[in-house]
Amino acid sequence: MHTSFADQLAGLDLAGFSIGPAPVSTTDFPVREAVVQTLEAVWSDLFAMVSGTALEADAEDLGWAFVNVFHRSAERKSTALDRATDEVRALIATADGSEVHTHELETQVERAQCAESAMLALEEMREVAAALYLNEFGSSWKPVSSSRFNHSVMLTSALVEGRDFLRARAEAKRRAAVPEGTPVVFAGGRTRHATEDDALTFGNNVWATLDKVRDRVPDMVLIHGGDTKGVDRLASSWAERRGIPQVTFSLDMRLGARAGFKRNERMLSLDPRYVIAFPGNGVLERLVIEAKARRITVVDRRGPLGTNPKSTSAATD
């Protein structure tokens, strides 16, 4: 691979810039087995400590903060990577062929590579912690005001230099933000159930519906509103359990009453294969109407406890 990248850069005028191996590799960071064992032990001890105390009611908040430690650290490394990448771009644009300039360029690329490798390692730690959160509380971990990117499964720029580094960096960011696959929109509101059995039946219907759609669309990307207190939470947990990428469209509260309708437009602009609709409000009804007008298949589950309304009415008749 090292030779391949050198060949790619052979025709570029980089003023004597030489290709070298990345300054760090995966062996310079904790191995996954050690990360899993350590975080599982810390997690277990933390919740054993608060169990049966007045802090038990705050356990989920503590769990969220535990995951967020790694998320924020990864974000800081991502910011450092962006700064170093900007420096690489500026140095290439002002290349003068001098030895000093070449050294500065090589140094900035190494800094960017180090920041990227650290970001990937911290993201992996966050994902291990997020899996513990999911198992403990039954819901997918979600940051408050930012995205939960995962670059580790994407092509990164760890072994790319100069202009190719910039191209690979831009592509890695795009792929992390826009997962490849077939969009499937999931929508529903906040529902109350008379009994725990009803709530369990509703949740099972949500997961069963998503499983059936996933069977038809193996490369699905789940699109939803990201509501942590509504049916979106069930869908998000399902997606994390199944390893399905998610894209969330939260409400832009600056739009007031139009926020929900604007979100509908943004989700439908992705040309989804299906729209899965569970009980909701008038905004959801409009989403269903617009999806049908665009000839998008609607999986209608707005009947009692998340069932098909047509089958419910047929049974009543």
Side-chain angles (χ1 to χ4, degrees):
M1 181 176 292
H2 177 66
T3 302
S4 174
F5 282 124
D7 291 341
Q8 292 179 33
L9 288 178
L12 296 179
D13 181 13
L14 294 183
F17 178 48
S18 61
I19 309 280
V24 293
S25 67
T26 54
T27 59
D28 295 307
F29 297 94
V31 297
R32 181 175 176 80
E33 291 75 11
V35 171
V36 171
Q37 291 177 8
T38 300
L39 295 190
E40 283 181 347
V42 173
W43 185 276
S44 177
D45 289 346
L46 173 64
F47 289 100
M49 178 183 69
V50 301
S51 179
T53 73
L55 291 178
E56 189 168 6
D58 301 306
E60 186 166 356
D61 288 342
L62 291 173
W64 184 92
F66 182 84
V67 184
N68 196 52
V69 167
F70 301 103
H71 177 69
R72 291 299 301 276
S73 295
E75 281 193 324
R76 285 193 289 271
K77 289 298 180 182
S78 179
T79 300
L81 173 56
D82 287 339
R83 286 198 298 265
T85 301
D86 288 341
E87 287 293 331
V88 172
R89 183 177 293 108
L91 286 168
I92 289 178
T94 59
D96 58 10
S98 68
E99 184 176 345
V100 172
H101 184 277
T102 299
H103 176 71
E104 290 179 354
L105 181 57
E106 291 175 343
T107 299
Q108 285 301 329
V109 169
E110 287 188 354
R111 288 176 180 172
Q113 290 173 324
C114 289
E116 183 177 51
S117 297
M119 177 191 71
L120 295 177
L122 289 165
E123 283 186 346
E124 182 177 31
M125 293 180 184
R126 181 201 60 200
E127 292 305 303
V128 171
L132 294 171
Y133 180 90
L134 176 64
N135 290 332
E136 185 79 28
F137 303 108
S139 61
S140 179
W141 185 88
K142 182 178 181 293
V144 172
S145 59
S146 60
S147 298
R148 179 180 161 185
F149 292 150
N150 185 8
H151 300 79
S152 63
V153 297
M154 307 300 178
L155 172 66
T156 66
S157 51
L159 295 176
V160 183
E161 302 289 338
R163 294 175 187 176
D164 281 354
F165 173 86
L166 297 178
R167 295 192 195 100
R169 169 62 181 154
E171 180 67 7
K173 290 188 69 175
R174 185 194 68 79
R175 291 185 181 182
V178 186
E180 294 183 356
T182 303
V184 172
V185 171
F186 179 93
R190 299 183 181 184
T191 58
R192 293 180 178 274
H193 302 286
T195 66
E196 289 187 6
D197 287 341
D198 285 350
L200 179 60
T201 299
F202 180 79
N204 288 337
N205 285 338
V206 170
W207 279 46
T209 300
L210 288 165
D211 279 334
K212 289 180 180 178
V213 172
R214 197 270 302 267
D215 289 341
R216 299 176 185 175
V217 189
D219 66 337
M220 73 180 288
V221 175
L222 189 66
I223 314 297
H224 61 87
D227 184 3
T228 58
K229 296 183 180 179
V231 70
D232 287 347
R233 178 170 179 166
L234 292 172
S236 182
S237 297
W238 171 88
E240 186 151 344
R241 292 284 191 187
R242 300 291 192 264
I244 302 297
Q246 307 174 57
V247 176
T248 62
F249 286 89
S250 57
L251 291 172
D252 185 349
M253 304 312 295
R254 296 171 299 178
L255 299 176
R258 297 187 296 111
F261 299 104
K262 184 62 176 178
R263 178 167 64 184
N264 287 352
E265 293 177 12
R266 295 170 67 195
M267 292 194 297
L268 291 178
S269 70
L270 299 178
D271 296 325
R273 173 80 174 275
Y274 293 100
V275 169
I276 305 172
F278 277 81
N281 55 19
V283 176
L284 183 138
E285 300 299 321
R286 175 53 58 182
L287 174 67
V288 171
I289 292 172
E290 292 178 357
K292 290 181 177 178
R294 299 185 185 207
R295 299 185 181 278
I296 298 170
T297 302
V298 175
V299 180
D300 196 343
R301 294 295 183 267
R302 290 175 292 167
L305 301 182
T307 56
N308 187 324
K310 290 183 179 180
S311 62
T312 304
S313 60
T316 302
D317 294 340

